């Protein structure tokens, strides 16, 4: 295994982080919490603008800001965006970056990625760990997690004790509330208390979730979904995942096991899915499904020795070069994706669907004909087509989402001065 460490590119980093909610849709938390959250989402904001945004008196804001300054959670600086040529520039509030640090880690089949983020949501360092693409025990996965965590902290000059929370995500069915790993294609075991085992291993509070929810949190905290009340994310990689945001909040279901779009059935007694059941959507469009079909379009004598990622790239190149068998494979996968997206629209009617994941490099999966077929399969086919966008963040988007998970876990404690 090989650990790679690098500094994140901050050139296009957005101002502020976290959901941007109208005050009328704010959660039922304390006013001090809402002050902290509003400053963090704005990046920087003056007291008077904060009072207008939260619809409270300037005196109340002054008192609460004073408390947050005393706790070391906010800092003051000149507001360059509103400075004038005369007089003293307005004072802007922002989150104190070193008020706390969190780590986001995404565990995957062939590479784990980790990101260190400060309290203001700015990434400070990143690390990755290449590993053998095979199922492993939960003990081994925690050992690998510890390796990439320690490499990240060494680069940043921090210790585990300096970290307020670790956000940890992996593919599969993860019960966020209980911390239970129900099932994952990464592991040889099922029904393990992932959060408790990770906290024992690292000595740091840990929050866990599945990887599709991580991408959705990345969009909600750092991306296109920050100011959107409702949207859906569909990810296509080794599996097919989905995340749903309703009223600026991630919806997980009663046991955090909802939104499993990849395991909705599209064909009774159909292809075998990695979950052990048959006819799941992802058994027709995920990586392993395309690899299964690729041997019919590529040289079958090399299919047993060619790495899956290489085989997928070869399949795509063959399709682009005019190989009809390769094109049929992508066309078939695109039709199943259209079916899955139409089901999503008919169930939830989100104003925006974001397609994400490594397979978005294969434009056959989201070609115009795929989206047209999705629209014809929906109930609102006489209206304007559903808005669908493709986002390619790269592998770090998952770690960004894991960091957002950790930030959301500690937000209450920070704002209330409990940590």
């Amino acid at each position: 295994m090989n650990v790679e460490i690098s500094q994140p590119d901050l050139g296009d980093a957005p101002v502020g982080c976290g959901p941007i909610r109208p005050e009328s849709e704010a959660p039922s938390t304390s006013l001090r919490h809402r002050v902290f959250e509003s400053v963090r989402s704005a990046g920087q904001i003056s007291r008077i603008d904060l009072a207008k945004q939260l619809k409270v008196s300037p005196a109340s804001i002054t008192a609460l800001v004073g408390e947050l300054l005393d706790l070391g959670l906010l800092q003051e600086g000149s507001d360059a965006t509103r400075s004038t040529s005369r007089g003293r520039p307005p004072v802007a509030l922002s989150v104190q970056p070193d008020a706390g640090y969190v780590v986001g880690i995404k565990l995957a089949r062939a590479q784990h990625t980790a990101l260190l983020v400060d309290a203001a949501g700015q990434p400070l360092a990143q690390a990755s760990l290449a590993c053998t693409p095979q199922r492993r025990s939960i003990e081994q996965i925690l050992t690998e997690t510890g390796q990439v965590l320690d490499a990240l902290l060494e680069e940043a000059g921090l210790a585990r004790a300096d970290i307020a929370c670790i956000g940890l995500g992996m593919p599969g069915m993860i019960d966020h509330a209980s911390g239970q790993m129900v099932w994952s294609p990464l592991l040889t075991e099922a029904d393990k208390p992932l959060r408790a085992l990770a906290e024992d291993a690292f000595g740091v509070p840990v929050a866990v979730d599945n990887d599709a929810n991580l991408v959705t949190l990345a969009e909600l905290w750092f991306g296109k979904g920050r100011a959107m009340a409702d949207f859906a994310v569909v990810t296509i990689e080794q599996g097919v995942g989905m995340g749903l945001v309703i009223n600026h909040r991630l919806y997980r279901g009663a046991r955090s096991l909802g939104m499993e779009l990849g395991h909705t059935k599209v064909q009774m007694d159909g292809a075998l899915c990695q979950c052990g059941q048959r006819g799941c959507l992802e058994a027709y469009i995920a990586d392993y499904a395309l690899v299964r079909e690729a041997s019919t379009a590529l040289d079958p004598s090399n299919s047993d020795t060619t790495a899956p990622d290489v085989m997928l790239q070869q399949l795509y190149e063959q399709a682009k070069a005019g190989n009809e068998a390769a094109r049929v494979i992508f066309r078939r996968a695109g039709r199943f994706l259209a079916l899955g997206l139409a089901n999503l629209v008919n169930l939830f009617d989100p104003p925006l669907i974001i397609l994400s994941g490594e397979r978005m490099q294969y434009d056959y999966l989201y070609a115009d004909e795929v989206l047209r077929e999705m629209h014809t399969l929906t109930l609102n086919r006489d209206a304007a087509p559903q808005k669908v966008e493709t986002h390619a963040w790269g592998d770090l988007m998952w770690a960004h989402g894991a960091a957002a998970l950790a930030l959301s876990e500690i937000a209450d404690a920070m704002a209330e001065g409990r940590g």
Side-chain angles (χ1 to χ4, degrees):
M1 289 182 288
N2 181 42
V3 178
E4 293 187 5
I5 304 170
S6 60
Q7 289 294 321
D9 181 6
L10 303 181
D12 296 323
V15 175
C17 77
I20 301 174
R21 305 182 182 93
E23 178 58 17
S24 60
E25 299 174 10
S28 56
T29 54
S30 70
L31 182 56
R32 185 163 75 175
H33 185 170
R34 302 208 307 275
V35 168
F36 177 76
E37 189 177 62
S38 296
V39 172
R40 185 182 58 199
S41 65
Q44 64 174 22
I45 188 172
S46 68
R47 286 173 173 80
I48 190 65
D49 287 341
L50 193 57
K52 291 177 181 177
Q53 180 177 313
L54 296 178
K55 296 181 173 59
V56 296
S57 69
S60 297
I61 290 298
T62 297
L64 292 170
V65 165
E67 294 174 9
L68 292 168
L69 288 169
D70 291 342
L71 288 169
L73 299 178
L74 297 184
Q75 63 182 3
E76 293 179 308
S78 62
D79 188 349
T81 64
R82 300 186 58 184
S83 61
T84 61
S85 58
R86 286 187 290 169
R88 193 170 161 188
V91 174
L93 302 166
S94 61
V95 170
Q96 180 70 42
D98 61 4
Y101 301 100
V102 300
V103 171
I105 302 176
K106 192 258 185 173
L107 304 175
R109 182 172 58 94
Q111 178 174 270
H112 309 321
T113 52
L115 186 70
L116 177 69
V117 172
D118 65 24
Q122 292 299 303
L124 303 177
Q126 65 191 56
S128 63
L129 174 69
C131 43
T132 305
Q134 63 185 19
R135 291 196 176 205
R136 60 270 262 170
S137 67
I138 197 163
E139 288 79 9
Q140 183 178 351
I141 206 83
L142 289 174
T143 296
E144 294 169 4
T145 304
Q147 290 175 329
V148 73
L149 171 64
D150 289 339
L152 180 74
L153 296 178
E154 182 178 359
E155 171 69 11
L158 297 174
R160 291 184 180 183
D162 297 317
I163 303 304
C165 185
I166 297 172
L168 187 63
M170 65 168 62
M173 300 177 185
I174 313 293
D175 187 335
H176 165 74
S178 69
Q180 191 80 359
M181 184 281 296
V182 180
W183 170 84
S184 172
L186 295 187
L187 299 175
T188 56
E189 305 149 293
D191 291 319
K192 292 291 183 179
L194 177 62
R195 184 180 64 203
L197 292 172
E199 288 180 341
D200 287 345
F202 309 134
V204 177
V206 175
V208 298
D209 216 327
N210 74 54
D211 54 358
N213 282 343
L214 297 189
V215 179
T216 309
L217 285 169
E219 293 287 355
L220 180 62
W221 277 68
F222 300 103
K224 191 81 171 184
R226 289 189 62 202
M228 294 196 66
D230 310 294
F231 65 93
V233 174
V234 174
T235 63
I236 307 174
E237 290 203 342
Q238 181 62 20
V240 175
M242 174 184 161
L244 182 67
V245 169
I246 300 175
N247 194 23
H248 305 279
R249 288 184 173 274
L250 181 67
Y251 179 78
R252 293 184 173 93
R255 293 181 296 160
S256 298
L257 304 179
M259 305 304 105
E260 289 292 344
L261 180 67
H263 298 289
T264 56
K265 305 301 180 281
V266 294
Q267 188 166 321
M268 295 298 293
D269 301 320
L272 182 65
C273 178
Q274 60 182 350
C275 74
Q277 297 186 9
R278 290 189 174 274
C280 296
L281 175 63
E282 76 171 40
Y284 295 92
I285 62 177
D287 285 9
Y288 65 90
L290 297 177
V291 168
R292 182 189 63 223
E293 301 291 333
S295 59
T296 63
L298 305 175
D299 182 0
S301 63
N302 294 328
S303 60
D304 292 337
T305 57
T306 305
D309 289 345
V310 174
M311 186 177 293
L312 284 173
Q313 187 59 35
Q314 291 176 352
L315 182 68
Y316 182 63
E317 291 170 356
Q318 286 289 313
K320 284 295 186 182
N323 183 319
E324 187 58 25
R327 287 186 171 185
V328 166
I329 290 171
F330 280 110
R331 205 173 294 134
R332 180 171 181 256
R335 294 200 69 191
F336 274 106
L337 177 59
L339 175 60
L341 294 178
N343 288 337
L344 189 165
V345 172
N346 288 334
L347 282 169
F348 301 108
D349 190 25
L352 172 66
I353 299 173
I354 299 172
L355 300 179
S356 190
E358 194 171 351
R359 289 314 138 234
M360 288 303 100
Q361 64 183 294
Y362 300 151
D363 51 10
Y364 285 104
L365 291 178
Y366 56 92
D368 289 343
E369 55 265 33
V370 172
L371 300 183
R372 279 196 301 270
E373 183 161 12
M374 174 202 81
H375 186 55
T376 62
L377 293 171
T378 62
L379 296 175
N380 65 342
R381 55 186 175 272
D382 293 330
Q386 208 79 16
K387 188 176 181 181
V388 179
E389 295 185 6
T390 302
H391 292 186
W393 284 43
D395 196 54
L396 264 184
M397 69 176 175
W398 313 89
H400 261 98
L405 174 67
L407 284 172
S408 65
E409 287 291 307
I410 66 170
D412 288 347
M414 288 185 67
E416 299 305 326
R418 299 194 304 271

